[in-house]
């Protein structure tokens, strides 16, 4: 919590300062701060799994920080939407979104923990891989859809259902079944990013892109190292957390769009 709040707050501020230094108006500058503030949980999880480091202590800390940053990004989207429409921050809407998160997420998590692990364990008794993987896919897409309907993010719903299902006794059997799906959707995710790239636009805006990239890598690395140290972790853990957090992903696209 300490690291996520520090990182998001400082990166929004630094992004805003960079935009203003480039001669942008206040609203685009604020959006630049929003775009560079949230690290990608999808990219981070993929990298950690490919390196075989996803079970280490620093990996759990880093994933936890990205999930909290996603929550803060949901609030930030409400702020930026109001700014884009009215030119100023709508305090009432922001406060309402914060309270909505505080009240809704614990209720959904508790309800899920009471029901879903038992449901998965029941389905697992049939010893059918097909039945189990179809049920898991349905729960994942259903949770993502529910999150959207509740005005959260799709990514947050998917992460939440994964955390809840991991409490079932069938988890050791589930992981090998989910891996092929993870590989497919990871490929789709990165191909989608590639399709958004415009080489001509990159060449035309290269100085700005280099500055923003340096801001993300250096700013987020320093913020997360400092935040992790302040929360009482060892220096080597803090450096690994900082290295993992020095990137942005899906919420950057959502805020930009």
């Amino acid at each position: 919590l300490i690291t996520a709040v520090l990182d998001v707050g400082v990166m929004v501020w630094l992004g805003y300062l960079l935009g203003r230094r480039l001669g942008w108006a206040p609203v685009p500058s604020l959006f630049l701060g929003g775009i560079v503030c949230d690290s990608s949980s999808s990219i981070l999880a993929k990298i950690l799994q490919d390196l075989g480091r996803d079970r280490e202590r620093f990996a759990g800390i880093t994933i936890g920080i990205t999930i909290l940053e996603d929550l803060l990004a949901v609030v930030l989207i409400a702020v930026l939407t109001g700014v884009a429409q009215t030119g100023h921050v709508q305090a009432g809407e922001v406060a309402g979104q914060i309270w909505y998160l505080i009240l809704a997420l614990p209720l959904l998590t508790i309800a899920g923990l009471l029901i879903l692990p038992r449901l998965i364990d029941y389905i697992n008794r049939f010893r059918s891989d097909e039945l189990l993987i179809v049920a898991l896919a349905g729960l994942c897409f259903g949770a993502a859809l529910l999150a959207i309907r509740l005005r959260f993010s799709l990514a947050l719903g998917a992460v939440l259902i994964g955390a809840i299902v991991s409490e079932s006794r069938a988890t050791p059997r589930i992981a090998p079944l989910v891996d092929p799906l993870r590989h497919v959707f990871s490929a789709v995710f990165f191909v989608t990013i590639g399709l958004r790239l415009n080489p001509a636009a990159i060449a035309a805006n290269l100085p700005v892109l280099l500055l923003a990239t340096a801001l993300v890598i250096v700013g987020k690395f320093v913020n997360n190292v400092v935040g992790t140290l302040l929360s009482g972790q060892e220096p080597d853990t803090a450096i690994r957390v900082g290295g993992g957090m020095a990137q942005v992903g899906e919420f950057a696209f959502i805020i930009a769009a």
Side-chain angles (χ1 to χ4, degrees):
L1 183 60
I2 292 170
T3 309
V5 171
L6 174 68
D7 187 34
V8 170
V10 172
M11 290 306 297
V12 169
W13 176 63
L14 291 176
Y16 177 81
L17 290 181
L18 177 60
R20 296 296 286 160
R21 181 60 63 92
L22 293 170
W24 296 3
V27 171
S29 300
L30 187 59
F31 268 84
L32 178 59
I35 288 168
V36 301
C37 78
D38 180 34
S39 297
S40 169
S41 49
S42 300
I43 292 173
L44 179 64
K46 174 66 174 171
I47 292 170
L48 289 173
Q49 287 165 346
D50 285 350
L51 293 175
R53 311 294 291 272
D54 53 316
R55 296 294 180 182
E56 296 187 23
R57 175 175 172 76
F58 84 93
I61 295 171
T62 314
I63 290 291
I65 295 169
T66 63
I67 293 171
L68 286 169
E69 289 197 355
D70 288 350
L71 291 176
L72 294 172
V74 171
V75 177
L76 186 61
I77 288 170
V79 175
L80 293 174
T81 301
V83 169
Q85 293 173 348
T86 66
H88 62 273
V89 177
Q90 296 176 313
E93 183 177 348
V94 175
Q97 185 72 17
I98 293 172
W99 277 111
Y100 186 55
L101 279 168
I102 292 172
L103 293 174
L105 279 180
L107 290 176
L108 289 172
T109 303
I110 292 170
L113 287 171
L114 290 174
I115 298 170
L116 293 182
R118 291 179 174 83
L119 174 62
I120 293 298
D121 289 339
Y122 173 75
I123 294 172
N124 188 46
R125 293 177 188 173
F126 293 96
R127 312 306 299 176
S128 169
D129 290 347
E130 292 84 357
L131 181 60
L132 186 57
I133 197 66
V134 168
L136 287 168
L139 288 172
C140 180
F141 288 121
L145 179 62
L146 178 63
I148 293 173
R149 294 292 173 86
L150 293 175
R151 295 183 286 119
F152 298 137
S153 76
L154 180 149
L156 181 60
V159 169
L160 188 62
I161 196 70
I164 291 172
V165 169
S166 71
E167 293 298 313
S168 73
R169 289 189 294 271
T171 301
R173 184 162 170 248
I174 289 170
L177 296 176
V178 172
D179 269 348
L181 288 177
R182 177 175 61 82
H183 294 314
V184 169
F185 287 111
S186 293
V188 171
F189 175 72
F190 287 106
V191 168
T192 303
I193 293 174
L195 290 171
R196 290 173 177 266
L197 294 177
N198 183 342
I202 292 174
N205 298 279
L206 190 58
V208 176
L209 293 175
L210 292 175
L211 283 172
T213 301
L215 178 67
V216 168
I217 294 174
V218 177
K220 293 189 74 66
F221 177 80
V222 172
N223 292 340
N224 285 279
V225 169
V226 171
T228 309
L229 288 173
L230 288 175
S231 65
Q233 301 299 324
E234 297 295 327
D236 61 334
T237 300
I239 291 172
R240 292 177 180 179
V241 170
M245 294 291 290
Q247 40 82 14
V248 294
E250 58 271 13
F251 270 98
F253 301 127
I254 293 169
I255 291 172

